[in-house]
């Protein structure tokens, strides 16, 4: 009689069927694009995502569509009046950062990723969970349930967990470094002040940074997240693309009710825009995914709070002016 502990494994033999087809999202091709290493696709993905997303919002900026007006965070005239750097300077700075990002990726990512035996990995998970599952259900049920659970854990639960953890790691890295660059006057003046030349953010200015900050904040943070979560090259490709889309969207200058990236979390374009205003420059450091660090560490400012402080500052300025007249 098979014991509960060995419901799917006994004397080196596999007693359950662990051979379902991989899920829809998995490609068994050696490379996703014929003749192009996945490493290079992973490096190209965030660059393509950046300029495609930026072009989308740039079309909005250049349009005269009246229906867009209610979604703009700032009128177009403010971009010209308040920003301290030209669009040409922004574009060249972003391209330079992306060159550095690509060179770092070439050194970091495996050109020939190690082959993974997915069947063996699923078996390993099945062997681990088999005793627990079989202690709660009948032998007949366990024989079917263990392979299903092992499949779900391996192909769905673990990749989702890796992606979410990578997002939290990126958020933690960027919050700590971003806040440090604001609180240290030398770091702010030397590096981070570049990004704050854009008082009115727009999409393709998302990665307008000093090259040193761009390397530390964006490129290195993403690579550390990929390393700590043990992502494959294709998973890293997805992470880098999502992070890029989200960063561009956070600087797009529009509060769009149907934008999936703005619906994803409350850390959106309207949230980050507060940080670019003088009254909110010591708040809303969190980027690019969630707002938990701002909430926990009391650096979160709502739009209502920002508008209230702006009104108070104007009233104080008027009062001071009245006294001098």
């Amino acid at each position: 009689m098979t014991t509960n502990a060995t419901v799917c494994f006994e004397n080196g033999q596999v007693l359950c069927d662990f051979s379902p087809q991989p899920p829809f999202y998995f490609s068994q091709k050696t490379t996703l694009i014929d003749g192009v290493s996945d490493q290079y696709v992973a490096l190209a993905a965030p660059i393509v995502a950046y300029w495609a997303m930026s072009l989308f919002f740039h079309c909005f900026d250049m349009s005269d569509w009246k229906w867009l007006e209610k979604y703009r965070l700032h009128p177009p005239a403010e971009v010209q009046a308040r920003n301290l750097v030209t669009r040409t300077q922004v574009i060249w700075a972003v391209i330079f950062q992306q060159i550095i990002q690509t060179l770092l990726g070439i050194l970091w990512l495996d050109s020939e990723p190690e082959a993974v035996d997915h069947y063996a990995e699923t078996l390993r998970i099945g062997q681990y969970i088999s005793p627990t599952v079989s202690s709660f259900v009948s032998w007949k049920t366990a024989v079917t349930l263990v392979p299903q659970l092992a499949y779900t854990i391996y192909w769905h639960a673990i990749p989702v967990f890796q992606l979410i953890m990578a997002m939290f790691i990126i958020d933690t890295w960027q919050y700590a470094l971003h806040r440090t660059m604001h609180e240290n006057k030398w770091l702010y003046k030397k590096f981070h002040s570049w990004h704050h030349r854009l008082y009115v953010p727009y999409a393709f200015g998302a990665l307008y940074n000093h090259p040193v900050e761009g390397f530390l904040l964006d490129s290195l943070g993403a690579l550390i997240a990929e390393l700590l979560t043990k992502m494959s090259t294709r998973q890293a490709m997805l992470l880098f693309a999502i992070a890029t889309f989200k960063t561009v969207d956070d600087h797009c200058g529009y509060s769009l009710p149907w934008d999936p990236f703005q619906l994803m979390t409350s850390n959106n374009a309207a949230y980050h825009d507060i940080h670019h205003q003088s009254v909110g420059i010591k708040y809303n450091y969190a980027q690019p995914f969630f707002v938990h660090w701002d909430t926990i560490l009391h650096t979160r400012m709502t739009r209502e709070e920002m508008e209230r402080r702006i009104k108070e500052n104007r009233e104080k300025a008027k009062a001071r002016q009245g006294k001098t007249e």
Side-chain angles (χ1 to χ4, degrees):
M1 177 178 178
T2 305
T3 65
N4 281 347
T6 58
V7 65
C8 282
F9 307 89
E10 187 174 39
N11 299 326
Q13 298 296 313
V14 180
L15 307 178
C16 300
D17 182 10
F18 282 89
S19 57
Q21 291 297 313
F24 72 92
Y25 68 79
F26 180 76
S27 172
Q28 300 191 56
K29 294 172 61 177
T30 305
T31 59
L32 289 178
I33 299 176
D34 293 338
V36 182
S37 168
D38 282 350
Q39 177 203 27
Y40 295 113
V41 177
L43 295 176
I47 297 174
V48 172
Y50 189 89
W51 293 110
M53 192 78 156
S54 295
L55 182 61
F56 174 80
F57 283 112
H58 185 64
C59 290
F60 279 16
D61 292 342
M62 297 296 103
S63 73
D64 57 358
W65 298 328
K66 299 301 181 185
W67 64 270
L68 265 179
E69 295 304 316
K70 64 181 179 180
Y71 300 122
R72 294 183 190 271
L73 295 172
H74 300 275
E78 275 197 63
V79 177
Q80 300 296 330
R82 298 184 63 200
N83 286 342
L84 305 178
V85 63
T86 67
R87 290 178 182 269
T88 301
Q89 290 172 311
V90 168
I91 290 172
W92 282 114
V94 171
I95 290 173
F96 183 70
Q97 178 172 330
Q98 289 177 332
I99 291 172
I100 295 175
Q101 171 183 296
T102 302
L103 293 174
L104 178 63
I106 290 172
L107 296 173
W108 183 280
L109 294 175
D110 295 329
S111 57
E112 295 183 4
E114 183 179 351
V116 178
D117 188 338
H118 301 293
Y119 177 74
E121 291 298 313
T122 308
L123 279 182
R124 184 177 60 82
I125 293 173
Q127 194 164 16
Y128 181 79
I129 67 173
S130 184
T132 302
V133 172
S134 57
S135 66
F136 287 98
V137 299
S138 67
W139 176 85
K140 184 177 180 180
T141 301
V143 168
T144 303
L145 187 59
V146 168
Q148 291 176 344
L149 280 176
Y151 178 90
T152 300
I153 291 170
Y154 181 73
W155 288 109
H156 299 294
I158 291 176
V160 169
F161 177 77
Q162 286 175 298
L163 180 61
I164 293 174
M165 283 303 301
M167 289 177 175
F168 275 102
I169 291 168
I170 290 173
D171 274 357
T172 302
W173 176 268
Q174 292 208 8
Y175 180 90
L177 194 56
H178 188 188
R179 184 170 179 177
T180 299
M181 285 193 168
H182 272 275
E183 294 185 348
N184 183 289
K185 291 182 179 179
W186 183 84
L187 288 175
Y188 181 83
K189 184 177 180 180
K190 187 71 176 178
F191 302 114
H192 192 56
S193 62
W194 277 45
H195 188 64
H196 281 276
R197 293 171 183 172
L198 294 177
Y199 282 92
V200 183
Y202 47 81
F204 63 82
L207 291 185
Y208 176 69
N209 298 309
H210 188 284
V212 172
E213 180 184 350
F215 168 76
L216 294 174
L217 193 71
D218 297 304
S219 303
L220 190 57
L223 293 180
I224 288 173
E226 179 260 334
L227 174 67
L228 294 180
T229 55
K230 300 186 183 299
M231 285 184 162
S232 67
T233 299
R234 292 181 185 180
Q235 286 176 296
M237 188 188 306
L238 178 64
L239 171 67
F240 298 161
I242 291 175
T244 301
F245 279 132
K246 186 69 174 60
T247 299
V248 173
D249 198 272
D250 289 346
H251 291 80
C252 71
Y254 296 89
S255 180
L256 301 170
W258 40 263
D259 185 329
F261 292 100
Q262 295 188 24
L263 293 172
M264 183 175 166
T265 71
S266 57
N267 193 344
N268 50 33
Y271 184 87
H272 188 64
D273 178 74
I274 294 170
H275 178 71
H276 277 262
Q277 309 313 308
S278 56
V279 72
I281 200 168
K282 295 289 188 179
Y283 297 88
N284 294 15
Y285 297 116
Q287 279 280 281
F289 297 110
F290 310 111
V291 300
H292 56 285
W293 287 123
D294 276 327
T295 302
I296 294 169
L297 298 176
H298 308 293
T299 55
R300 183 176 183 178
M301 178 183 282
T302 64
R303 204 146 194 90
E304 293 74 20
E305 174 69 9
M306 180 192 74
E307 291 170 357
R308 183 183 66 78
R309 292 196 183 191
I310 290 174
K311 183 179 179 181
E312 289 176 353
N313 289 344
R314 286 174 179 169
E315 290 174 350
K316 289 178 181 178
K318 286 181 180 179
R320 287 194 297 268
Q321 185 178 5
K323 290 180 180 179
T324 58
E325 292 177 352

